[in-house]
């Protein structure tokens, strides 16, 4: 009986850790500053980067895509303004 309870507690703890990791990754992917995510998790930024590198990489890819779209839009606006002149 005690072993069964211990097993349940271990599974519950593991589930809690997975949820916390998923929440941190979600914050990183949504654009929250890594320093803030690390502070709230009680980690250094180095630890955060080591364990959440994939989430950070996905966020960088998303940022690059946003920058590209913004630059494309600015070029189109500039071209339209030149055509109107």
């Amino acid at each position: 009986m005690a072993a069964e309870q211990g097993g349940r507690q271990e599974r519950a703890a593991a589930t809690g850790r997975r949820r916390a990791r998923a929440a941190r990754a979600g914050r990183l992917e949504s654009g929250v500053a890594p320093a803030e995510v690390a502070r709230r998790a009680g980690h250094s930024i180095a630890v955060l980067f080591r364990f959440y590198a994939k989430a950070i990489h996905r966020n960088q890819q998303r940022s690059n895509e946003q920058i590209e779209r913004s630059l494309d839009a600015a070029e189109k606006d500039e071209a339209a303004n030149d055509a109107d002149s």
Side-chain angles (χ1 to χ4, degrees), residues 5-77:
Q5 285 181 329
R8 273 192 234 134
Q9 290 173 342
E10 288 176 24
R11 285 191 300 276
T15 299
R17 288 189 297 272
R18 281 192 301 273
R19 286 182 181 159
R21 284 192 298 267
R24 287 183 207 116
R27 287 184 199 112
L28 287 169
E29 290 178 346
S30 70
V32 176
E36 180 62 16
V37 175
R39 185 189 68 77
R40 290 181 182 207
H43 295 312
S44 68
I45 292 177
V47 168
L48 186 82
F49 284 169
R50 184 170 48 235
F51 288 102
Y52 298 96
K54 288 181 182 178
I56 292 167
H57 183 69
R58 284 190 297 265
N59 195 31
Q60 288 173 335
Q61 288 175 323
R62 198 168 16 262
S63 294
N64 289 340
E65 291 167 2
Q66 288 175 332
I67 290 167
E68 285 296 322
R69 283 193 300 271
S70 177
L71 291 173
D72 289 345
E75 287 177 4
K76 286 178 185 175
D77 287 346

